[in-house]
Amino acid sequence: MTDRDSLAGWRYWIIAVLMATAVAVAGAWIAGAGTRDALITSTRTGAQLRAALLDSEIARFRLLPLALSDDRQVAATLAGAPAGPLNAKLEALTRTTGAAAIYVVGADGRTRAASNWRTPQSFVGSDYRFRRYFREARARGEASQFALGTVSRHSGLYLARRTPTGGVIVVKLEFDAIEAAWRRAGGDTRVENAAGLVLVASDPGLRFAVARPILPAVLAALRREAALPETSAPVLLPPARGNLVEASVPTSQPGWSLSLRRSIGPAVAAAQRTAGLVGFLAVLALAALIWSLRQRATLSRRRTSELEAAVAERTAELRREIEERAAIEARAADLREGLRQANRLATLGQVTASVAHETAQPVAAIRTYAETSVQLLDQGATDMVRDNLDTIRRLSDRIGSVTAQLRGFSRRQPGEVRPLPLAEVLDGALLILKEQLRNVRLERPAIGTHLLVMGGRVRLEQVFVNLLQNATEALAGRPDPTIAIRLTLAEGLVWVRIHDNGPGIAPDIAARLFTPFATSRSNGLGLGLVISSDIMTELGGSLRWLAEERGACFELELRRA
């Protein structure tokens, strides 16, 4: 090699190192910015999911006072009967539901019965007239308040509802389990009220701190009203700056908002280091490849011009292959991440919404039957009232079965599949939707009790309720609302079709009908068909949508017993 060639080689590698450094710096900056944006979006999504978990937990416990307000033992105890049986019932309910405490307060503010009646901290006999939730429940029918327990000294959310006889049912919900789940998920999570006082937090040290400055008089009033601990200098949370990002979302509890704060510094720095190193090495590798090809081309030119052309062609092919492979790998990585994200969102959405979604219909039906019974009592129709009460009992059993089923799901236990009469399952679903179907013409086949299918009664009934509920809502405003149920039998299989004469399903919704959160209704969750399809798969059957010229049609395939 001549001195001139040696000098050209040194210049080439100096330029290559400078270019590699520039690419490394640019790649690190781009990767850092992209990682920061992705983590900010992820933090907001995480805050929304944690708020959904909190809302679901509160919604589940709101059903307890509603279910107990018309309980016979509650009414009898408030009327002066011994409180022993009611104490035992409330004690069992706290173990079953996970509530911190359940107690019944008379119209005079004195506690008549409580779940902790056996303990030295029993609420029985305590006067709660000073509590805002008691006064508001007496005045408006229901109330909620976050406060510190005067006996237990544990903070929690009190949910109260007035009974028909003037008493008040109170359920206390503590958030220790949710706070522990937030700690395991990472980041600092807190829930604050409208004034900025922190009520629930993954870090116990942040409880009763303030997220923004509060006037001393206002803070003192908040602490007195909620019986919170008095401190001379409340902790003021520092703002999220630098490598900290924070996202705040509202919750279903009035005045409450949830904030999630995360440190993104280590993740951004790691992304920058990785991108910089990869960019630097990639440029040097490319420079080495180009240098090698250049040397090979020089030698080839010295030998034959034909070999030079072959080397140049091969070099171009290698470059194209590198670019195509990099593009394919990048697209595959994006698709894999998109699928993983969609799967996570679908699973979390179904778990956090399942309790409220599957118990709302029986609870609404119970309320309708209860209101109808009051009117029938005024008319003296005791036989019809007795029938309504029997129906309410059956619906209450369904709620208990659904709750037990969901607890089994959380423990990954499979549901029981056994032979059961198809007619009874369909009758149970029509019972729940009796009031909604009052103005709908229903065409159903005569099904004998001898026709047995394989399934779980509650889960199969849940599928029929979801499909009939969707059909009923689609028929709102129709002059001739009609739902037709058709039955087809074959050896070993049964097909049930549910067809309505509504507006049908839009093509954009039909394309993703059985994916989470796909719905055409403004108040819909988009989970009913997903849950129903999963249930049918577990039972060894299937659920399909059939395209029709008019209305919507869904077909269930069941195994005959």
Side-chain angles (χ1 to χ4, degrees), residues 240-310:
R241 294 175 179 170
N243 290 327
L244 294 177
V245 295
E246 183 173 294
S248 297
V249 295
T251 71
S252 62
Q253 183 67 12
W256 285 20
S257 62
L258 182 143
S259 298
L260 173 60
R261 178 179 292 187
R262 286 175 172 169
S263 173
I264 63 173
V268 171
Q272 290 175 333
R273 287 194 301 269
T274 301
L277 181 60
V278 169
F280 186 83
L281 294 178
V283 172
L284 288 184
L286 183 60
L289 177 63
I290 294 174
W291 176 261
S292 175
L293 294 175
R294 179 182 176 184
Q295 292 299 102
R296 184 181 299 177
T298 302
L299 292 176
S300 297
R301 282 196 302 269
R302 292 175 180 175
R303 293 174 182 174
T304 63
S305 59
E306 182 180 352
L307 185 59
E308 178 184 6

Side-chain angles (χ1 to χ4, degrees), residues 14-31:
I14 290 174
I15 294 173
V17 170
L18 293 176
M19 290 180 63
T21 303
V23 170
V25 172
W29 183 86
I30 294 173

Side-chain angles (χ1 to χ4, degrees), residues 90-356:
L90 298 181
E91 184 180 28
L93 276 176
T94 57
R95 290 194 299 267
T96 302
T97 63
I102 307 174
Y103 49 102
V104 179
V105 184
D108 59 353
R110 293 283 180 181
T111 303
R112 299 289 194 273
S115 59
N116 61 355
W117 62 285
R118 298 179 187 270
T119 67
Q121 295 81 23
S122 171
F123 296 166
V124 177
S126 298
D127 188 349
Y128 287 105
R129 286 177 295 176
F130 71 96
R131 285 294 201 187
R132 175 170 59 81
Y133 63 75
F134 173 77
R135 298 193 302 271
E136 290 185 359
R138 289 269 298 163
R140 300 201 312 258
E142 64 176 349
S144 63
Q145 179 186 3
F146 188 91
L148 195 69
T150 56
V151 175
S152 65
R153 307 307 296 170
H154 290 163
S155 59
L157 180 63
Y158 293 83
L159 304 173
R161 175 173 286 273
R162 185 182 62 212
T163 69
T165 57
V168 175
I169 305 291
V170 184
V171 175
K172 183 182 180 183
L173 168 61
E174 295 181 357
F175 299 96
D176 294 344
I178 291 181
E179 290 176 336
W182 289 344
R183 283 194 293 273
R184 290 192 298 271
D188 290 331
T189 308
R190 68 178 188 274
V191 176
E192 59 193 62
N193 61 13
L197 185 66
V198 177
L199 305 178
V200 185
S202 58
D203 181 1
L206 297 182
R207 290 179 189 157
F208 313 129
V210 292
R212 53 185 176 275
I214 303 179
L215 292 175
V218 175
L219 181 61
L222 286 172
R223 285 173 169 163
R224 285 195 304 272
E225 193 264 347
L228 299 179
E230 295 286 346
T231 58
S232 57
V235 177
L236 181 63
L237 298 179
R241 294 175 179 170
N243 290 327
L244 294 177
V245 295
E246 183 173 294
S248 297
V249 295
T251 71
S252 62
Q253 183 67 12
W256 285 20
S257 62
L258 182 143
S259 298
L260 173 60
R261 178 179 292 187
R262 286 175 172 169
S263 173
I264 63 173
V268 171
Q272 290 175 333
R273 287 194 301 269
T274 301
L277 181 60
V278 169
F280 186 83
L281 294 178
V283 172
L284 288 184
L286 183 60
L289 177 63
I290 294 174
W291 176 261
S292 175
L293 294 175
R294 179 182 176 184
Q295 292 299 102
R296 184 181 299 177
T298 302
L299 292 176
S300 297
R301 282 196 302 269
R302 292 175 180 175
R303 293 174 182 174
T304 63
S305 59
E306 182 180 352
L307 185 59
E308 178 184 6
V311 170
E313 181 180 355
R314 180 56 180 164
T315 301
E317 290 177 357
L318 287 174
R319 289 178 179 174
R320 285 195 298 272
E321 290 176 2
I322 292 172
E323 292 172 355
E324 290 175 358
R325 181 170 299 179
I328 292 173
E329 291 177 351
R331 178 170 176 79
D334 291 340
L335 289 175
R336 287 194 298 271
E337 182 58 27
L339 289 173
R340 286 195 292 268
Q341 181 68 6
N343 183 62
R344 289 194 293 269
L345 291 175
T347 302
L348 288 174
Q350 289 177 273
V351 171
T352 57
S354 58
V355 174

